[in-house]
Amino acid sequence: MTKKNTKQDYFVLNNMLNIPVNGEIPLQYDKEALRCYLLAIDKQILKFNNLDEKINYLIKNNYIEKELLDLYTDGDTKNLSFISQLYHKVTSFNFHFKSFMAAYKFYSQYAMKTIDQKWFLESFKDRVVFNALYLANGNEELAMNLAEELICQRYQPATPTFLNAGKKRRGEMVSCFLIDLNDSMLSIGRGINSALQLSRIGGGVGVNLSNLRSAGSPIKEIVNASSGVLPVMKLLEDSFSYSNQLGQRNGAGVVYLNVFHPDILAFLSTKKENADEKIRVKTLSLGLVVPDKYYELIKTNQPMFLFNPYHVEREYDKPFSYIDITKEYDRLVANPNIQKTKINARELEQEISRLQQESGYPYILNIDTANRTNPVKGRIIMSNLCSEILQPQTPSKLNNDLSYQEIGTDISCNLGSTNIVNMLKSKNFGKSIEYAVRALTTVTDTEAIDEVPTVKKGNQLYHTIGLGAMGLHTALALHHIHYGSPEALEFTDAYFLALNYYSLLASHKIAIEKGETFFEFDESTYADGSYFNQYLKNNFTFQSKKVADIFSNIHLPTVEDWENLKEAVMRDGIYHRNRLAIAPNGSISYINETSASLHPITQLVENRQEKKVGSIFYPAPYLSNDTIDYYTTAYDIDQRKIIDTYAIAQKHIDQGMSLTLFMRSKLPEGLYEWKNKGQLNLTTRDLNRLRNYAWAKGIKSLYYIRTYTEDDEFQSVNKCEACMI
């Protein structure tokens, strides 16, 4: 490139990637865009003569926490010998970004800048060092090991941790929060304040509205006084819009409502495009809590009764969310003291599908499935902004001055992900998992959310974490395995079996070291040993030689290994009440040069809309003539293959997974055998079938429904039917 090129050259080059040349995908443009971008970034990085000068500058100007460095320097910032060794080790791996998107995402979203935003103060290597120092919490050996895991991209902390670790001016390290509201103005007021504070310091907030009395309910025995859940939704949306994390991350929230709540139809109507502006919510996400009884009523076409939480709580002496609707349904119907409304379940099902077609919402939480497989004491009542966190909560009781008469327990999400592609290359898979668990343990042990006592209490009692994975489709493509095939399902089964075993092993080891288990461990299925029964019948055996060869360097636990772990856990306990969850892995998957979560890729060359700059094009990770045939996109796959993949992984995961479904407005002919010949448009009936299929397969939650509408006039590599590289 010549000196005449402008700052925008790299965007132009990157956009050229999306235009096929003689039937070929011109990947070289992305590499050239990356080179030009890094040259431009290099001119914006504040340079220092040596490490001492750099560290002292960062401390003096309040960019880095001196207290963190003191753990490794004995309080003397001139003694940087260990930090120097850590930098040397990280540098030795010679890390390079593999795509323009990866570099752009890092420098636009994660890299620390001067207060005036004119200069970058760190590279990817620096961010890795500060993450390793923070997550090791003074343990030099662990810091060295974590630095290797991070720079080799085997483990990736979630965005809040990766963004904030080591920084003086920062938000919290946790990804999201879940809070429960009780049926009182005191709880609603406290909840709105909690939403404001949590959005300010961290990120996404899930709020349970199922306990709130429905519209027209009595207030102080005055009939038709309550306005129901909709005004509370508007208050929450305004709170999230106002409060964000230092302007770096927009506030975001989701509200969950049980399908048996009388406000269910009004709740869904808030997301319709033609909804009245007085009730419409634009940025708030919606989630439904769906008991098994709902699916039964759809199947039998019996009348569906909705129950007013106001009356249910008075009859059962506990909030609506803590009632097992499936178990109690007939008694609720027969109880004359409970106000109820009759609707048709199939009509509600159609309404849900129509809204998912239109907006992608609501999320679906199959609450009985989640609770049936819950290994610990308590009831799961809701989920989070990405629908993968499934942990029990307990309600609070408030005094009239909003102080706590009894502090319940709410949830913070301490997340991180393994990169499947790189984990398969680990010299010691079990140790890599242990280091990831230890990193997450530091987050849960050091983060105290004082602003919301219920979240703080839950974190202190249960030490919950959510270790997940990303890069499944990339790993499959690199090994010439088609997504959703029997080989792919066996691959998925083996990986998550190993992830579960080694994370349990690590949690047991940490419990021994700390001399502590999670609260009420003795009332869990870990304590009585029944959790392990599913693994004590047969050894895992590979049916595919190809998959067996891929896992040849990873020891998969035998029945004897599980027996030994069962005995050890029953004797000593584990430290974390919850360990595993599969997040959607948005931005961090780009930086890791791998496919997001367990989903198929969405396009061979993804068109990502970025604020301020417009379109950035991202080729599928490791896209080549060798992998292109194995990169069938999510919109061109029978969605049951995605559900099957998640169902296999779910067997080994104690929490949930962010399972997105991808639908074209025009479906490829023959993709679903239930489609009438020539009927290629997406219908509500298709979504009904898929949701019921997911429930039957044991899926705990469905995240978002993404619909892709093609522009027939737009030329792109995704239109190129026989593209090569």
Side-chain angles (χ1 to χ4, degrees):
M1 305 298 292
T2 66
K3 291 183 179 179
K4 293 181 180 180
N5 289 328
T6 68
K7 179 181 178 182
Q8 299 302 315
D9 279 337
Y10 38 79
F11 289 117
V12 174
L13 285 164
N14 170 262
N15 277 233
M16 290 173 68
L17 165 69
N18 193 49
I19 303 173
V21 178
N22 298 322
E24 294 185 351
I25 301 173
L27 289 179
Q28 69 274 13
Y29 287 123
D30 189 61
K31 298 297 183 185
E32 186 64 15
L34 172 61
R35 188 186 70 83
C36 291
Y37 180 68
L38 292 177
L39 285 173
I41 289 294
D42 186 64
K43 296 176 182 178
Q44 295 177 263
I45 294 178
L46 195 62
K47 304 294 195 303
F48 299 93
N49 293 318
N50 51 55
L51 181 62
D52 289 27
E53 182 181 334
K54 178 172 187 169
I55 294 297
N56 280 291
Y57 174 88
L58 295 176
I59 292 173
K60 181 180 178 181
N61 291 280
N62 292 319
Y63 289 110
I64 292 294
E65 289 182 311
K66 182 179 183 300
E67 295 79 8
L68 172 62
L69 300 185
D70 286 347
L71 296 174
Y72 301 91
T73 63
D74 295 325
D76 181 5
T77 53
K78 294 181 180 179
N79 179 22
L80 298 177
S81 58
F82 173 73
I83 296 175
S84 179
Q85 292 173 36
L86 194 62
Y87 263 98
H88 179 74
K89 178 169 185 173
V90 170
T91 302
S92 70
F93 286 94
N94 199 27
F95 172 85
H96 292 289
F97 289 111
K98 296 181 179 66
S99 66
F100 172 71
M101 174 68 88
Y104 177 80
K105 270 291 180 184
F106 174 75
Y107 282 105
S108 64
Q109 189 167 337
Y110 296 95
M112 184 163 50
K113 300 180 77 171
T114 54
I115 295 175
D116 60 13
Q117 301 292 294
K118 292 181 179 179
W119 298 95
F120 287 104
L121 292 171
E122 60 183 6
S123 63
F124 183 81
K125 177 177 69 175
D126 296 304
R127 192 90 298 265
V128 163
V129 166
F130 291 126
N131 268 262
L133 291 172
Y134 171 80
L135 295 171
N137 198 29
N139 184 326
E140 293 185 358
E141 181 181 2
L142 181 57
M144 281 288 186
N145 289 321
L146 280 174
E148 180 174 337
E149 297 300 313
L150 293 167
I151 199 67
C152 292
Q153 296 189 312
R154 292 192 286 266
Y155 173 66
Q156 173 63 52
T159 287
T161 302
F162 193 59
L163 170 68
N164 290 312
K167 293 181 180 177
K168 184 75 172 179
R169 305 177 184 91
R170 64 172 179 85
E172 298 296 336
M173 306 289 176
V174 294
S175 298
C176 55
F177 307 90
L178 285 72
I179 57 176
D180 184 23
L181 297 189
N182 291 333
D183 186 33
S184 73
M185 284 296 290
L186 295 174
S187 181
I188 292 169
R190 184 101 199 188
I192 297 296
N193 179 66
S194 295
L196 276 167
Q197 298 304 320
L198 293 173
S199 185
R200 174 181 64 83
I201 64 176
V205 184
V207 183
N208 178 40
L209 302 182
S210 295
N211 298 325
L212 304 187
R213 68 192 71 187
S214 58
S217 297
I219 296 178
K220 294 183 178 180
E221 301 183 357
I222 299 174
V223 297
N224 296 322
S226 173
S227 300
V229 302
L230 266 60
V232 180
M233 293 168 65
K234 295 291 283 186
L235 288 169
L236 286 167
E237 181 171 57
D238 290 343
S239 299
F240 295 131
S241 299
Y242 175 74
S243 186
N244 58 56
Q245 186 179 338
L246 300 176
Q248 291 179 290
R249 304 183 75 207
N250 291 329
V254 59
V255 287
Y256 280 87
L257 192 73
N258 196 295
V259 291
F260 287 93
H261 193 289
D263 287 351
I264 183 62
L265 293 173
F267 177 81
L268 294 173
S269 70
T270 62
K271 268 295 179 186
K272 292 181 179 179
E273 290 183 1
N274 61 353
D276 190 303
E277 286 299 316
K278 293 180 181 179
I279 66 165
R280 186 182 178 194
V281 294
K282 299 176 182 178
T283 59
L284 193 66
S285 300
L286 307 186
L288 296 184
V289 177
V290 185
D292 286 353
K293 189 66 182 182
Y294 174 71
Y295 293 101
E296 179 187 324
L297 294 173
I298 292 173
K299 184 177 180 179
T300 61
N301 201 26
Q302 294 177 327
M304 177 178 176
F305 288 93
L306 311 178
F307 309 105
N308 192 335
Y310 173 83
H311 300 104
V312 172
E313 184 169 350
R314 277 150 184 78
E315 289 295 302
Y316 283 81
D317 198 29
K318 56 183 174 181
F320 187 67
S321 293
Y322 297 89
I323 303 295
D324 184 336
I325 297 294
T326 299
K327 181 181 178 181
E328 297 294 322
Y329 183 79
D330 290 338
R331 280 186 282 271
L332 289 165
V333 171
N335 191 331
N337 296 325
I338 296 175
Q339 184 186 72
K340 54 193 73 75
T341 306
K342 185 169 70 173
I343 65 169
N344 184 284
R346 291 183 179 179
E347 291 179 3
L348 175 58
E349 182 77 342
Q350 287 295 101
E351 191 69 19
I352 292 169
S353 292
R354 280 192 288 268
L355 187 60
Q356 286 185 330
Q357 276 187 308
E358 184 176 308
S359 69
Y361 300 102
Y363 310 152
I364 303 294
L365 171 56
N366 293 322
I367 197 67
D368 291 339
T369 304
N371 278 295
R372 251 191 314 274
T373 56
N374 172 32
V376 298
K377 181 183 178 182
R379 180 168 178 81
I380 297 164
I381 61 170
M382 62 176 296
S383 189
N384 65 316
L385 189 60
C386 301
S387 79
E388 83 275 24
I389 298 302
L390 300 174
Q391 300 174 19
Q393 290 162 268
T394 56
S396 301
K397 293 182 180 178
L398 295 169
N399 297 311
N400 288 335
D401 62 357
L402 292 185
S403 63
Y404 285 97
Q405 183 182 128
E406 182 180 329
I407 301 177
T409 56
D410 285 323
I411 297 165
S412 59
C413 316
N414 308 312
L415 303 178
S417 291
T418 58
N419 183 333
I420 296 174
V421 173
N422 297 329
M423 281 295 296
L424 294 173
K425 303 173 187 175
S426 175
K427 294 178 181 178
N428 190 325
F429 184 93
K431 279 293 182 183
S432 289
I433 297 299
E434 180 184 331
Y435 299 143
V437 171
R438 289 186 180 278
L440 286 166
T441 302
T442 296
V443 176
T444 195
D445 283 353
T446 59
E447 291 296 288
I449 311 299
D450 295 321
E451 291 86 347
V452 184
T454 54
V455 171
K456 181 179 180 179
K457 180 180 178 182
N459 187 56
Q460 289 177 335
L461 290 177
Y462 300 117
H463 325 132
T464 58
I465 60 175
L467 179 62
M470 57 184 166
L472 177 63
H473 198 184
T474 299
L476 295 174
L478 285 169
H479 290 96
H480 293 182
I481 298 174
H482 289 286
Y483 189 98
S485 67
E487 285 181 326
L489 296 181
E490 185 171 87
F491 179 106
T492 305
D493 200 4
Y495 186 86
F496 287 98
L497 169 77
L499 182 65
N500 189 23
Y501 175 79
Y502 287 109
S503 65
L504 275 167
L505 208 62
S507 187
H508 169 255
K509 188 174 181 180
I510 293 169
I512 293 174
E513 292 171 0
K514 293 180 177 290
E516 181 182 356
T517 64
F518 67 81
F519 180 62
E520 296 179 327
F521 165 80
D522 290 341
E523 299 182 64
S524 71
T525 59
Y526 301 115
D528 66 24
S530 60
Y531 174 84
F532 299 91
N533 291 345
Q534 62 177 317
Y535 298 111
L536 301 181
K537 298 174 183 178
N538 300 294
N539 286 322
F540 183 92
T541 55
F542 290 101
Q543 302 302 310
S544 164
K545 184 180 183 303
K546 177 185 282 188
V547 179
D549 289 343
I550 294 169
F551 284 85
S552 60
N553 292 326
I554 299 173
H555 173 70
L556 293 185
T558 63
V559 168
E560 183 180 1
D561 291 327
W562 283 111
E563 285 277 13
N564 292 335
L565 181 58
K566 173 183 175 179
E567 292 177 10
V569 168
M570 290 176 69
R571 181 183 65 245
D572 308 313
I574 56 176
Y575 188 67
H576 312 88
R577 184 184 68 171
N578 300 91
R579 292 167 294 109
L580 304 178
I582 307 298
N585 306 130
S587 299
I588 59 175
S589 67
Y590 295 119
I591 294 174
N592 276 259
E593 195 63 25
T594 201
S595 53
S597 196
L598 309 189
H599 291 127
I601 62 164
T602 55
Q603 295 173 289
L604 278 179
V605 176
E606 181 184 353
N607 181 354
R608 176 83 181 189
Q609 293 296 315
E610 293 290 323
K611 291 181 179 179
K612 298 180 182 178
V613 300
S615 292
I616 295 180
F617 292 93
Y618 176 64
Y622 301 97
L623 183 63
S624 69
N625 289 331
D626 193 50
T627 60
I628 192 170
D629 290 341
Y630 300 91
Y631 264 137
T632 304
T633 71
Y635 294 102
D636 298 313
I637 284 179
D638 184 332
Q639 299 301 289
R640 288 171 296 183
K641 290 185 177 182
I642 299 178
I643 292 169
D644 290 345
T645 298
Y646 275 74
I648 285 287
Q650 185 67 81
K651 295 189 306 178
H652 309 294
I653 295 170
D654 60 330
Q655 296 188 74
M657 304 175 290
S658 295
L659 198 175
T660 298
L661 295 178
F662 303 85
M663 309 295 287
R664 283 191 185 275
S665 56
K666 294 182 180 179
L667 300 177
E669 190 168 1
L671 189 60
Y672 299 99
E673 73 273 8
W674 69 60
K675 301 291 292 183
N676 295 327
K677 188 174 180 181
Q679 182 191 339
L680 301 181
N681 60 304
L682 170 67
T683 68
T684 56
R685 190 180 181 188
D686 296 326
L687 285 171
N688 296 348
R689 286 176 182 267
L690 288 171
R691 285 198 305 275
N692 277 268
Y693 181 78
W695 171 70
K697 293 291 289 187
I699 294 298
K700 296 178 183 178
S701 63
L702 293 172
Y703 181 33
Y704 199 69
I705 306 296
R706 298 196 181 279
T707 302
Y708 177 68
T709 303
E710 295 177 299
D711 182 351
D712 293 330
E713 297 180 358
F714 184 68
Q715 183 187 22
S716 76
V717 299
N718 293 295
K719 300 286 185 185
C720 185
E721 294 182 359
C723 264
M724 301 293 285
I725 309 301

